[in-house]
Amino acid sequence: IHTIQLNDPAASTQINLDDKVVAKLLNGQESLTILGDTSDTVTLDNFVKAESSSLTGFEQYTAVVDNSTYTAFIDSDVNVILA
């Protein structure tokens, strides 16, 4: 999985992801992109928000699992909760 698309104007979506789940989803890849809108919420466990993002229009979050760094780029419209 490289991209999760939450864009559904008729529904709000809430997903919870922790660092280990993201590591398994990425299966050797380094980053995940999550697209969505203001009605969507993503809760991230064990992630840290980067001060700036290397991808325009997205907020960047990172986590380290087993000495590997994983990055989640989340559409800046999406509500993000760091747990």
Side-chain angles (χ1 to χ4, degrees):
I1 294 178
H2 302 280
T3 304
I4 297 174
Q5 182 141 358
L6 306 176
N7 295 40
D8 182 352
S12 64
T13 305
Q14 296 181 5
I15 61 172
N16 300 318
L17 298 170
D18 69 23
D19 55 345
K20 290 176 180 41
V21 168
V22 170
K24 288 179 184 177
L25 285 173
L26 292 177
N27 193 24
Q29 301 297 317
E30 294 180 356
S31 67
L32 171 69
T33 304
I34 299 176
L35 304 169
D37 56 36
T38 57
S39 67
D40 301 317
T41 301
V42 176
T43 301
L44 296 174
D45 288 331
N46 301 316
F47 277 79
V48 176
K49 183 178 180 182
E51 289 194 25
S52 62
S53 177
S54 60
L55 192 58
T56 303
F58 292 82
E59 299 295 330
Q60 182 173 330
Y61 301 86
T62 59
V64 177
V65 177
D66 297 329
N67 297 320
S68 294
T69 300
Y70 297 95
T71 303
F73 292 102
I74 301 179
D75 190 319
S76 58
D77 291 337
V78 173
N79 301 302
V80 177
I81 299 169
L82 294 176

